[in-house]
Short mmCIF file of all heavy atoms in Angstrom, two decimals:
data_model
loop_
_atom_site.label_atom_id
_atom_site.label_comp_id
_atom_site.label_asym_id
_atom_site.label_seq_id
_atom_site.Cartn_x
_atom_site.Cartn_y
_atom_site.Cartn_z
N VAL A 130 -36.35 -14.35 -37.32
CA VAL A 130 -36.99 -14.59 -38.61
C VAL A 130 -35.94 -15.02 -39.64
O VAL A 130 -36.16 -15.95 -40.42
CB VAL A 130 -37.77 -13.35 -39.09
CG1 VAL A 130 -38.39 -13.60 -40.46
CG2 VAL A 130 -38.84 -12.97 -38.08
N ALA A 131 -34.77 -14.37 -39.62
CA ALA A 131 -33.70 -14.72 -40.56
C ALA A 131 -33.22 -16.15 -40.31
O ALA A 131 -32.98 -16.90 -41.27
CB ALA A 131 -32.54 -13.73 -40.43
N LYS A 132 -33.13 -16.54 -39.06
CA LYS A 132 -32.72 -17.93 -38.72
C LYS A 132 -33.77 -18.91 -39.23
O LYS A 132 -33.43 -19.96 -39.79
CB LYS A 132 -32.54 -18.07 -37.21
CG LYS A 132 -32.31 -19.49 -36.73
CD LYS A 132 -30.93 -19.67 -36.21
CE LYS A 132 -30.70 -21.03 -35.56
NZ LYS A 132 -30.69 -22.13 -36.47
N PHE A 133 -35.04 -18.59 -39.04
CA PHE A 133 -36.13 -19.44 -39.53
C PHE A 133 -36.02 -19.59 -41.05
O PHE A 133 -36.09 -20.70 -41.60
CB PHE A 133 -37.48 -18.84 -39.16
CG PHE A 133 -38.67 -19.68 -39.56
CD1 PHE A 133 -39.30 -20.50 -38.64
CD2 PHE A 133 -39.16 -19.63 -40.86
CE1 PHE A 133 -40.39 -21.26 -39.02
CE2 PHE A 133 -40.26 -20.39 -41.24
CZ PHE A 133 -40.87 -21.21 -40.32
N ALA A 134 -35.83 -18.48 -41.76
CA ALA A 134 -35.74 -18.50 -43.23
C ALA A 134 -34.55 -19.35 -43.68
O ALA A 134 -34.63 -20.10 -44.66
CB ALA A 134 -35.64 -17.09 -43.77
N GLU A 135 -33.45 -19.26 -42.93
CA GLU A 135 -32.27 -20.05 -43.26
C GLU A 135 -32.51 -21.53 -42.97
O GLU A 135 -32.21 -22.40 -43.80
CB GLU A 135 -31.07 -19.55 -42.44
CG GLU A 135 -29.79 -20.28 -42.73
CD GLU A 135 -28.65 -19.79 -41.85
OE1 GLU A 135 -28.63 -18.59 -41.50
OE2 GLU A 135 -27.78 -20.61 -41.52
N ASP A 136 -33.08 -21.84 -41.80
CA ASP A 136 -33.35 -23.23 -41.42
C ASP A 136 -34.30 -23.92 -42.39
O ASP A 136 -34.17 -25.11 -42.68
CB ASP A 136 -33.92 -23.32 -40.01
CG ASP A 136 -32.91 -22.97 -38.93
OD1 ASP A 136 -31.69 -22.87 -39.25
OD2 ASP A 136 -33.33 -22.76 -37.77
N PHE A 137 -35.29 -23.17 -42.90
CA PHE A 137 -36.29 -23.73 -43.81
C PHE A 137 -35.87 -23.55 -45.29
O PHE A 137 -36.61 -23.94 -46.18
CB PHE A 137 -37.66 -23.12 -43.56
CG PHE A 137 -38.41 -23.75 -42.42
CD1 PHE A 137 -38.09 -23.46 -41.11
CD2 PHE A 137 -39.43 -24.66 -42.67
CE1 PHE A 137 -38.76 -24.05 -40.06
CE2 PHE A 137 -40.11 -25.26 -41.62
CZ PHE A 137 -39.79 -24.96 -40.32
N ASN A 138 -34.69 -22.94 -45.50
CA ASN A 138 -34.17 -22.73 -46.84
C ASN A 138 -35.20 -22.04 -47.74
O ASN A 138 -35.49 -22.50 -48.84
CB ASN A 138 -33.71 -24.07 -47.44
CG ASN A 138 -32.80 -23.88 -48.62
OD1 ASN A 138 -32.11 -22.86 -48.73
ND2 ASN A 138 -32.78 -24.85 -49.52
N LEU A 139 -35.75 -20.94 -47.25
CA LEU A 139 -36.80 -20.24 -47.99
C LEU A 139 -36.18 -19.47 -49.16
O LEU A 139 -35.35 -18.59 -48.95
CB LEU A 139 -37.56 -19.28 -47.06
CG LEU A 139 -38.27 -19.94 -45.88
CD1 LEU A 139 -39.03 -18.90 -45.06
CD2 LEU A 139 -39.21 -21.05 -46.34
N PRO A 140 -36.60 -19.78 -50.39
CA PRO A 140 -36.00 -19.14 -51.56
C PRO A 140 -36.67 -17.83 -51.97
O PRO A 140 -36.24 -17.19 -52.92
CB PRO A 140 -36.23 -20.20 -52.66
CG PRO A 140 -37.51 -20.87 -52.26
CD PRO A 140 -37.51 -20.87 -50.75
N PHE A 141 -37.72 -17.42 -51.27
CA PHE A 141 -38.48 -16.22 -51.64
C PHE A 141 -38.25 -15.12 -50.62
O PHE A 141 -37.59 -15.31 -49.61
CB PHE A 141 -39.97 -16.54 -51.77
CG PHE A 141 -40.51 -17.44 -50.69
CD1 PHE A 141 -40.76 -16.97 -49.41
CD2 PHE A 141 -40.77 -18.78 -50.96
CE1 PHE A 141 -41.25 -17.80 -48.42
CE2 PHE A 141 -41.27 -19.62 -49.97
CZ PHE A 141 -41.51 -19.13 -48.70
N THR A 142 -38.80 -13.96 -50.90
CA THR A 142 -38.59 -12.79 -50.04
C THR A 142 -39.39 -12.92 -48.74
O THR A 142 -40.51 -13.41 -48.73
CB THR A 142 -38.94 -11.49 -50.80
OG1 THR A 142 -38.50 -10.38 -50.03
CG2 THR A 142 -40.41 -11.36 -51.08
N VAL A 143 -38.78 -12.47 -47.65
CA VAL A 143 -39.41 -12.51 -46.32
C VAL A 143 -39.39 -11.10 -45.76
O VAL A 143 -38.34 -10.46 -45.67
CB VAL A 143 -38.66 -13.48 -45.37
CG1 VAL A 143 -39.30 -13.47 -43.99
CG2 VAL A 143 -38.64 -14.90 -45.95
N TRP A 144 -40.58 -10.61 -45.41
CA TRP A 144 -40.72 -9.28 -44.84
C TRP A 144 -40.97 -9.37 -43.34
O TRP A 144 -41.52 -10.36 -42.84
CB TRP A 144 -41.89 -8.54 -45.48
CG TRP A 144 -41.72 -8.17 -46.91
CD1 TRP A 144 -40.65 -8.43 -47.73
CD2 TRP A 144 -42.66 -7.46 -47.71
NE1 TRP A 144 -40.87 -7.92 -48.98
CE2 TRP A 144 -42.11 -7.32 -49.00
CE3 TRP A 144 -43.92 -6.93 -47.46
CZ2 TRP A 144 -42.77 -6.67 -50.04
CZ3 TRP A 144 -44.58 -6.28 -48.49
CH2 TRP A 144 -44.01 -6.15 -49.77
N LEU A 145 -40.63 -8.29 -42.65
CA LEU A 145 -40.86 -8.17 -41.21
C LEU A 145 -42.05 -7.24 -40.97
O LEU A 145 -42.16 -6.20 -41.60
CB LEU A 145 -39.63 -7.60 -40.51
CG LEU A 145 -38.33 -8.39 -40.73
CD1 LEU A 145 -37.14 -7.61 -40.21
CD2 LEU A 145 -38.42 -9.76 -40.08
N ASP A 146 -42.91 -7.62 -40.05
CA ASP A 146 -44.10 -6.81 -39.77
C ASP A 146 -44.27 -6.64 -38.26
O ASP A 146 -45.19 -7.20 -37.66
CB ASP A 146 -45.33 -7.47 -40.39
CG ASP A 146 -46.56 -6.57 -40.36
OD1 ASP A 146 -46.42 -5.37 -40.07
OD2 ASP A 146 -47.65 -7.07 -40.63
N PRO A 147 -43.40 -5.85 -37.63
CA PRO A 147 -43.46 -5.72 -36.17
C PRO A 147 -44.70 -5.00 -35.65
O PRO A 147 -45.07 -5.16 -34.49
CB PRO A 147 -42.19 -4.91 -35.84
CG PRO A 147 -41.87 -4.17 -37.10
CD PRO A 147 -42.34 -5.06 -38.22
N SER A 148 -45.38 -4.22 -36.50
CA SER A 148 -46.55 -3.49 -36.01
C SER A 148 -47.86 -3.94 -36.66
O SER A 148 -48.84 -3.20 -36.67
CB SER A 148 -46.35 -1.98 -36.22
OG SER A 148 -46.12 -1.71 -37.58
N SER A 149 -47.88 -5.15 -37.22
CA SER A 149 -49.10 -5.76 -37.79
C SER A 149 -49.71 -4.97 -38.94
O SER A 149 -50.92 -5.01 -39.15
CB SER A 149 -50.15 -6.00 -36.70
OG SER A 149 -49.65 -6.84 -35.71
N LYS A 150 -48.90 -4.27 -39.71
CA LYS A 150 -49.43 -3.52 -40.86
C LYS A 150 -50.11 -4.44 -41.87
O LYS A 150 -51.16 -4.11 -42.40
CB LYS A 150 -48.31 -2.75 -41.56
CG LYS A 150 -47.85 -1.52 -40.86
CD LYS A 150 -46.80 -0.80 -41.71
CE LYS A 150 -46.30 0.44 -41.02
NZ LYS A 150 -45.26 1.11 -41.82
N ALA A 151 -49.51 -5.59 -42.15
CA ALA A 151 -50.08 -6.50 -43.14
C ALA A 151 -51.38 -7.11 -42.65
O ALA A 151 -52.35 -7.20 -43.40
CB ALA A 151 -49.08 -7.60 -43.50
N LEU A 152 -51.40 -7.54 -41.40
CA LEU A 152 -52.63 -8.12 -40.85
C LEU A 152 -53.76 -7.10 -40.89
O LEU A 152 -54.90 -7.43 -41.22
CB LEU A 152 -52.40 -8.61 -39.42
CG LEU A 152 -51.37 -9.74 -39.25
CD1 LEU A 152 -51.17 -10.06 -37.78
CD2 LEU A 152 -51.78 -10.98 -40.03
N ASN A 153 -53.44 -5.86 -40.59
CA ASN A 153 -54.45 -4.79 -40.64
C ASN A 153 -54.85 -4.47 -42.08
O ASN A 153 -56.02 -4.26 -42.38
CB ASN A 153 -53.95 -3.53 -39.93
CG ASN A 153 -53.82 -3.73 -38.44
OD1 ASN A 153 -54.55 -4.50 -37.83
ND2 ASN A 153 -52.87 -3.04 -37.83
N ALA A 154 -53.88 -4.43 -42.98
CA ALA A 154 -54.17 -4.10 -44.38
C ALA A 154 -55.07 -5.14 -45.02
O ALA A 154 -55.95 -4.81 -45.82
CB ALA A 154 -52.87 -3.97 -45.17
N PHE A 155 -54.87 -6.41 -44.67
CA PHE A 155 -55.69 -7.48 -45.23
C PHE A 155 -56.92 -7.78 -44.37
O PHE A 155 -57.72 -8.63 -44.71
CB PHE A 155 -54.85 -8.74 -45.44
CG PHE A 155 -53.91 -8.64 -46.59
CD1 PHE A 155 -52.57 -8.33 -46.39
CD2 PHE A 155 -54.35 -8.83 -47.89
CE1 PHE A 155 -51.69 -8.22 -47.45
CE2 PHE A 155 -53.48 -8.73 -48.96
CZ PHE A 155 -52.15 -8.41 -48.74
N ARG A 156 -57.02 -7.10 -43.23
CA ARG A 156 -58.17 -7.24 -42.32
C ARG A 156 -58.42 -8.67 -41.89
O ARG A 156 -59.55 -9.16 -41.86
CB ARG A 156 -59.43 -6.65 -42.95
CG ARG A 156 -59.30 -5.18 -43.24
CD ARG A 156 -60.55 -4.62 -43.82
NE ARG A 156 -60.31 -3.26 -44.26
CZ ARG A 156 -60.97 -2.68 -45.21
NH1 ARG A 156 -61.93 -3.31 -45.84
NH2 ARG A 156 -60.69 -1.45 -45.55
N ASN A 157 -57.33 -9.37 -41.58
CA ASN A 157 -57.44 -10.75 -41.14
C ASN A 157 -56.27 -11.02 -40.20
O ASN A 157 -55.13 -11.07 -40.63
CB ASN A 157 -57.41 -11.70 -42.34
CG ASN A 157 -57.63 -13.15 -41.95
OD1 ASN A 157 -57.75 -13.48 -40.78
ND2 ASN A 157 -57.70 -14.01 -42.94
N GLY A 158 -56.57 -11.22 -38.93
CA GLY A 158 -55.54 -11.47 -37.94
C GLY A 158 -55.20 -12.93 -37.75
O GLY A 158 -54.39 -13.27 -36.90
N ASN A 159 -55.82 -13.81 -38.53
CA ASN A 159 -55.55 -15.24 -38.41
C ASN A 159 -54.24 -15.60 -39.10
O ASN A 159 -53.90 -15.03 -40.12
CB ASN A 159 -56.69 -16.05 -39.04
CG ASN A 159 -57.99 -15.84 -38.31
OD1 ASN A 159 -58.08 -15.99 -37.11
ND2 ASN A 159 -59.03 -15.47 -39.05
N LEU A 160 -53.56 -16.59 -38.54
CA LEU A 160 -52.31 -17.08 -39.13
C LEU A 160 -52.40 -18.59 -39.30
O LEU A 160 -52.93 -19.26 -38.43
CB LEU A 160 -51.13 -16.74 -38.23
CG LEU A 160 -50.83 -15.27 -38.01
CD1 LEU A 160 -49.70 -15.10 -37.01
CD2 LEU A 160 -50.49 -14.56 -39.31
N PRO A 161 -51.90 -19.10 -40.41
CA PRO A 161 -51.47 -18.36 -41.58
C PRO A 161 -52.67 -17.88 -42.39
O PRO A 161 -53.74 -18.49 -42.37
CB PRO A 161 -50.69 -19.41 -42.38
CG PRO A 161 -51.31 -20.72 -42.01
CD PRO A 161 -51.76 -20.55 -40.58
N SER A 162 -52.46 -16.80 -43.11
CA SER A 162 -53.46 -16.33 -44.07
C SER A 162 -52.70 -15.90 -45.32
O SER A 162 -51.62 -15.33 -45.23
CB SER A 162 -54.29 -15.18 -43.50
OG SER A 162 -53.48 -14.07 -43.15
N SER A 163 -53.26 -16.24 -46.48
CA SER A 163 -52.57 -15.98 -47.74
C SER A 163 -53.52 -15.37 -48.74
O SER A 163 -54.72 -15.64 -48.72
CB SER A 163 -52.00 -17.28 -48.31
OG SER A 163 -51.05 -17.84 -47.43
N TYR A 164 -52.95 -14.57 -49.64
CA TYR A 164 -53.72 -13.86 -50.64
C TYR A 164 -52.99 -13.98 -51.97
O TYR A 164 -51.78 -13.74 -52.04
CB TYR A 164 -53.87 -12.38 -50.25
CG TYR A 164 -54.52 -12.28 -48.90
CD1 TYR A 164 -53.75 -12.32 -47.75
CD2 TYR A 164 -55.90 -12.22 -48.78
CE1 TYR A 164 -54.34 -12.29 -46.50
CE2 TYR A 164 -56.50 -12.19 -47.53
CZ TYR A 164 -55.71 -12.23 -46.40
OH TYR A 164 -56.30 -12.22 -45.16
N VAL A 165 -53.73 -14.33 -53.02
CA VAL A 165 -53.15 -14.44 -54.35
C VAL A 165 -53.50 -13.17 -55.12
O VAL A 165 -54.68 -12.86 -55.31
CB VAL A 165 -53.66 -15.70 -55.09
CG1 VAL A 165 -53.05 -15.77 -56.48
CG2 VAL A 165 -53.34 -16.95 -54.28
N VAL A 166 -52.46 -12.46 -55.52
CA VAL A 166 -52.61 -11.20 -56.24
C VAL A 166 -52.24 -11.45 -57.70
O VAL A 166 -51.15 -11.98 -57.98
CB VAL A 166 -51.69 -10.11 -55.65
CG1 VAL A 166 -51.88 -8.78 -56.36
CG2 VAL A 166 -51.93 -9.96 -54.14
N ASP A 167 -53.13 -11.09 -58.62
CA ASP A 167 -52.84 -11.32 -60.04
C ASP A 167 -51.87 -10.27 -60.58
O ASP A 167 -51.47 -9.34 -59.87
CB ASP A 167 -54.12 -11.44 -60.87
CG ASP A 167 -54.89 -10.13 -61.02
OD1 ASP A 167 -54.35 -9.04 -60.76
OD2 ASP A 167 -56.08 -10.20 -61.40
N ARG A 168 -51.52 -10.39 -61.84
CA ARG A 168 -50.53 -9.51 -62.45
C ARG A 168 -50.96 -8.05 -62.51
O ARG A 168 -50.14 -7.15 -62.65
CB ARG A 168 -50.18 -10.01 -63.85
CG ARG A 168 -49.54 -11.39 -63.84
CD ARG A 168 -49.15 -11.83 -65.25
NE ARG A 168 -48.85 -13.25 -65.31
CZ ARG A 168 -47.69 -13.80 -64.95
NH1 ARG A 168 -46.72 -13.05 -64.49
NH2 ARG A 168 -47.51 -15.10 -65.06
N ASN A 169 -52.26 -7.80 -62.38
CA ASN A 169 -52.79 -6.43 -62.41
C ASN A 169 -52.97 -5.83 -61.02
O ASN A 169 -53.51 -4.73 -60.90
CB ASN A 169 -54.12 -6.41 -63.16
CG ASN A 169 -53.95 -6.83 -64.60
OD1 ASN A 169 -53.02 -6.39 -65.26
ND2 ASN A 169 -54.83 -7.69 -65.07
N GLY A 170 -52.60 -6.55 -59.97
CA GLY A 170 -52.72 -6.02 -58.62
C GLY A 170 -54.06 -6.27 -57.96
O GLY A 170 -54.38 -5.63 -56.96
N THR A 171 -54.83 -7.22 -58.48
CA THR A 171 -56.12 -7.56 -57.90
C THR A 171 -56.00 -8.85 -57.10
O THR A 171 -55.44 -9.84 -57.59
CB THR A 171 -57.18 -7.75 -59.01
OG1 THR A 171 -57.30 -6.53 -59.74
CG2 THR A 171 -58.53 -8.13 -58.43
#
Side-chain angles (χ1 to χ4, degrees):
V130 178
K132 172 112 173 70
F133 182 99
E135 182 182 328
D136 290 349
F137 278 77
N138 198 26
L139 299 182
F141 42 76
T142 190
V143 178
W144 292 1
L145 303 170
D146 191 11
S148 58
S149 300
K150 284 184 181 178
L152 297 176
N153 292 330
F155 287 99
R156 299 181 188 153
N157 185 356
N159 296 307
L160 297 175
S162 60
S163 298
Y164 303 87
V165 179
V166 182
D167 70 15
R168 297 183 194 279
N169 297 316
T171 300

